[in-house]
Amino acid sequence: MHPSSATGQAGTGEPVLELRDIRKAFGRVEALRGVSLTLRAGEVHAVMGDNGAGKSTLLKVAAGVVKPDGGEVRAQGAAVEFASPLDARRIGIETVYQDLALADHRSCVANVYIGREVRRSGLLGHLGVLDRAAMTDRTSQAFGQLAVPVSDVERPVRMLSGGQRQGVAIARAAIWAKTIVLLDEPTAALGVRQRAAVDELIKNLRSRHYGVLLISHDVPQVLEISDRVTVLRLGRNAGTRDTSDVDATWVVTAMVGGHS
Amino acid sequence: MLMEQAAPRRLAAAFRSAPATGVFWILVVLVALIAAFALILPADTFVTTFNAQTVAGDASTLLVLAAGATVVIISGGLDLSIGSVMTFSAVAAALTMKSVSDGSSDHEFTAALVGVGVGVGSGAAWGAINGWLIAYARLPPFVVTLGSLGAALGAARLLSGGSNVSGTPASIQEEVGLATVFGVPLPFVVAAILVLACGFLLSRTRWGEHNYLIGSNEEAARRGGIAISRHLFMLYVLSGALAGCAGLIEVARFAVASVSTGHTTELIAALAAVVIGGASLTGGIGLMGASVVGVFIPVVLANGLLIGGVERFWQDVVVGIILVAAVGFDQWRRAREVSES
Ligand SMILES: Nc1ncnc2c1ncn2[C@@H]1O[C@H](COP(=O)(O)OP(=O)(O)O)[C@@H](O)[C@H]1O
Ligand SMILES: [Mg+2]
């Protein structure tokens, strides 16, 4: 029944990202007060918690957007320090932000290749001329493999539905990620059917052996697609469990502080 | 059944989508304008080779200004200083040519070369000031270029002592400004080359793609790793250099650098052409080809009204009306496009 029991890999892959005792304060607001979390290859690790619990801040630390005040980030066994999101991306960490970060007027292809455009070979390439055909082909191919529900990759993103836009953002992360995909509430704004399509994409990432960190508010979704779940409460880790060992009551109780 | 219907439906969709592209309707307006003038104006006035050459010549400076404005507006920016910078570059180039040639015809070629360098270089320098303030000091483009609009015009008048600069080598006007290549005015050929180069940059290169991306969503571009500040700096340098080229074309055509108006009419016409061409002032949308069509609307209007003996100022009124109508129509069209999809 449970997806992870089908593959038998719940939390058994090698650790690809370790957050150790991460602390972060914004002025007097202590967003993170010493959070530790390990993300393994081939797992969907859900992070849940009430509004303001520190979920997005934790993700931004892992993405190189926010610099922690204390603690350690380790990727593939080595301590890393990210000066910018580019540093995180360089070692294979891609992020789907809550606002998606899509350029609405440009095509799916342009959004997938943003900042990583492919130039032609030879003299034209040196002049900065783009190889649009190659980028379009590779995007179509990737969308097909990842089952992104977009048929025409040359359509401007603003013409797409919410679920399709989400699909483009996730596919972009999947295409460039080498080891880790971080997702911040990817289905918060979606309807039931669109949510199902995004859930399929996330499962697809797991089967490709990525480590997936999934921030979500949606208890049924987390119970359905995650392998492990960590609950944050007031900037602290209120517990990490195998998803197969918990139910909705445990999650909700942990979120509001019932377990001690 | 479904398969049989698909082909005609696709064909119908293609027919419907031709008028849905913004350029199509501006082209319709332009053709209608030309047809109306051709019908109304006396024979052998509007539809003549000579008049076509006049229109092409008149369009040349505006094309160059509009090419720069297209790129700037697509990035979500604005350069209000192009008319003033054009004035400054024209004055600087004219004064340089005069002093290098020193009244003799021996040094005219050198004078022309140095003058071109000074014209383009001074335009690029103003652009660099704009670019630094916008890209690195993060000041709003409207404020920065409104400031340099005044500063460049003031500087041009200081440089020229407040009067127009004439007395550039005569051969420059004869052999460049009034010359034709297979019947096409040379200034127009130069403008066309610059426009084609800018169009290529915009639609075919990585720099051009970054320009669209920054205009569409600057934060997404930043997270994508695009060096925004460096891009914007180069963008305003380009805009300034093109304004410098426009100033040079003016000197070549009229053998005089005028400081009287600061080319505000050209500034307004160039921005109007770009917006009529469907570019969005909020960035991310625009096409070089559409701006080119947009340029010919004010130029043809001015030409037709002049031949018809109508007050020149009607041009500004009519261009204003077309501008507002074009933007209104475009908004309506886009709203419908989104709701249909
Ligand atoms: N850039 C910031 N500046 C100031 N406070 C912030 C900033 N980002 C987050 N916070 C604060 O940190 C706390 C945790 O925020 P966040 O990580 O976004 O929570 P969550 O995603 O779990 O809702 C909140 O109190 C929030 O107001
Ligand atoms: Mg959040």
Side-chain angles (χ1 to χ4, degrees):
Chain A
M1 271 299 287
H2 195 270
S4 62
S5 52
T7 53
Q9 284 182 338
T12 56
E14 70 279 11
V16 283
L17 181 72
E18 291 172 78
L19 303 169
R20 290 188 185 169
D21 198 27
I22 301 293
R23 296 172 177 278
K24 178 68 193 182
F26 298 102
R28 285 164 55 198
V29 180
E30 289 186 69
L32 298 172
R33 310 173 182 210
V35 175
S36 298
L37 181 154
T38 302
L39 179 67
R40 298 172 187 281
E43 77 164 343
V44 174
H45 192 140
V47 176
M48 302 202 73
D50 210 348
N51 272 331
K55 306 180 297 293
S56 292
T57 307
L58 189 67
L59 175 132
K60 285 177 185 162
V61 167
V65 176
V66 164
K67 262 183 228 153
D69 300 334
E72 196 179 38
V73 179
R74 299 178 72 83
Q76 280 121 11
V80 287
E81 253 178 66
F82 300 139
S84 81
L86 285 181
D87 287 345
R89 286 170 41 177
R90 232 167 259 137
I91 64 162
I93 300 175
E94 287 289 323
T95 309
V96 179
Y97 296 94
Q98 209 160 350
D99 66 8
L100 300 187
L102 295 173
D104 275 354
H105 308 102
R106 306 308 287 165
S107 68
C108 299
V109 180
N111 274 284
V112 162
Y113 279 90
I114 190 165
R116 288 158 157 157
E117 295 83 0
V118 177
R119 282 177 289 177
R120 296 217 198 154
S121 53
L123 178 65
L124 287 176
H126 282 293
L127 292 172
V129 177
L130 295 172
D131 191 344
R132 289 197 195 277
M135 292 190 279
T136 303
D137 284 353
R138 284 185 226 166
T139 304
S140 303
Q141 213 181 337
F143 277 25
Q145 284 168 2
L146 292 162
V148 180
V150 175
S151 51
D152 181 2
V153 295
E154 288 179 286
R155 283 199 107 187
V157 164
R158 83 192 140 89
M159 310 280 277
L160 304 180
S161 72
Q164 289 175 317
R165 291 161 55 83
Q166 199 80 51
V168 173
I170 295 176
R172 172 172 64 193
I175 287 166
W176 297 111
K178 293 189 208 86
T179 47
I180 294 161
V181 178
L182 311 170
L183 301 138
D184 197 349
E185 309 218 17
T187 54
L190 301 184
V192 178
R193 272 189 30 221
Q194 298 184 326
R195 206 197 76 181
V198 170
D199 285 354
E200 282 310 309
L201 271 171
I202 294 171
K203 291 181 197 168
N204 202 322
L205 292 178
R206 170 182 39 213
S207 67
R208 289 157 178 272
H209 221 62
Y210 290 105
V212 180
L213 193 74
L214 169 68
I215 293 180
S216 176
H217 257 123
D218 183 339
V219 178
Q221 178 194 36
V222 165
L223 291 178
E224 196 214 316
I225 69 170
S226 73
D227 302 291
R228 291 198 296 161
V229 53
T230 290
V231 176
L232 291 191
R233 203 178 92 76
L234 302 175
R236 289 205 169 87
N237 187 337
T240 298
R241 298 280 189 281
D242 280 359
T243 308
S244 52
D245 295 343
V246 301
D247 58 11
T249 316
W250 179 85
V251 172
V252 173
T253 315
M255 276 168 61
V256 299
H259 308 288
S260 55
Chain B
M1 247 331 253
L2 273 172
M3 290 294 283
E4 280 166 37
Q5 280 179 355
R9 207 182 297 152
R10 213 175 298 150
L11 202 66
F15 266 107
R16 258 185 289 124
S17 73
T21 54
V23 199
F24 176 86
W25 285 108
I26 322 151
L27 210 53
V28 169
V29 170
L30 181 61
V31 171
L33 204 61
I34 293 171
F37 280 135
L39 284 174
I40 299 166
L41 296 173
D44 296 332
T45 55
F46 185 72
V47 192
T48 62
T49 310
F50 175 76
N51 194 46
Q53 286 173 334
T54 308
V55 168
D58 290 347
S60 53
T61 44
L62 213 47
L63 279 170
V64 175
L65 292 179
T70 303
V71 184
V72 171
I73 284 173
I74 288 172
S75 81
L78 189 63
D79 190 348
L80 297 172
S81 73
I82 49 177
S84 297
V85 170
M86 173 180 165
T87 307
F88 183 93
S89 292
V91 167
L95 289 173
T96 307
M97 289 179 195
K98 270 174 74 169
S99 87
V100 172
S101 68
D102 204 15
S104 91
S105 59
D106 306 343
H107 307 297
E108 283 186 352
F109 186 71
T110 323
L113 274 189
V114 178
V116 167
V118 167
V120 178
S122 60
W126 280 105
I129 295 171
N130 286 335
W132 189 84
L133 290 169
I134 292 164
Y136 295 104
R138 303 304 293 174
L139 294 169
F142 180 89
V143 175
V144 169
T145 61
L146 190 62
S148 50
L149 183 161
L153 185 56
R157 286 173 176 162
L158 285 171
L159 210 58
S160 75
S163 51
N164 295 348
V165 182
S166 53
T168 51
S171 63
I172 291 175
Q173 187 182 27
E174 285 156 15
E175 287 163 31
V176 181
L178 301 178
T180 58
V181 188
F182 301 114
V184 183
L186 189 55
F188 182 79
V189 174
V190 171
I193 290 170
L194 290 172
V195 167
L196 284 174
C198 289
F200 183 83
L201 181 71
L202 195 55
S203 66
R204 296 290 158 83
T205 70
R206 193 154 107 133
W207 194 89
E209 183 60 44
H210 287 180
N211 200 59
Y212 278 104
L213 288 165
I214 291 169
S216 185
N217 186 343
E218 189 172 324
E219 186 53 34
R222 184 174 294 112
R223 291 196 200 147
I226 293 169
I228 309 233
S229 297
R230 195 176 59 198
H231 180 97
L232 291 181
F233 178 77
M234 292 309 296
L235 171 66
Y236 286 94
V237 171
L238 174 70
S239 176
L242 286 168
C245 292
L248 285 168
I249 291 176
E250 188 209 13
V251 172
R253 287 186 74 211
F254 303 113
V256 60
S258 151
V259 294
S260 55
T261 65
H263 294 298
T264 38
T265 305
E266 281 85 346
L267 164 69
I268 294 166
L271 294 181
V274 175
V275 175
I276 288 172
S280 160
L281 286 172
T282 53
I285 303 177
L287 291 170
M288 190 60 71
S291 294
V292 168
V293 180
V295 161
F296 280 95
I297 288 181
V299 172
V300 169
L301 255 177
N303 176 266
L305 295 176
L306 181 76
I307 294 173
V310 182
E311 254 320 338
R312 202 212 129 257
F313 306 114
W314 276 107
Q315 178 207 339
D316 298 337
V317 176
V318 178
V319 169
I321 292 169
I322 294 178
L323 173 69
V324 174
V327 172
F329 176 73
D330 207 48
Q331 261 179 17
W332 172 79
R333 192 174 58 78
R334 280 186 215 287
R336 215 184 46 158
E337 189 181 54
V338 168
S339 70
E340 270 177 4
S341 71

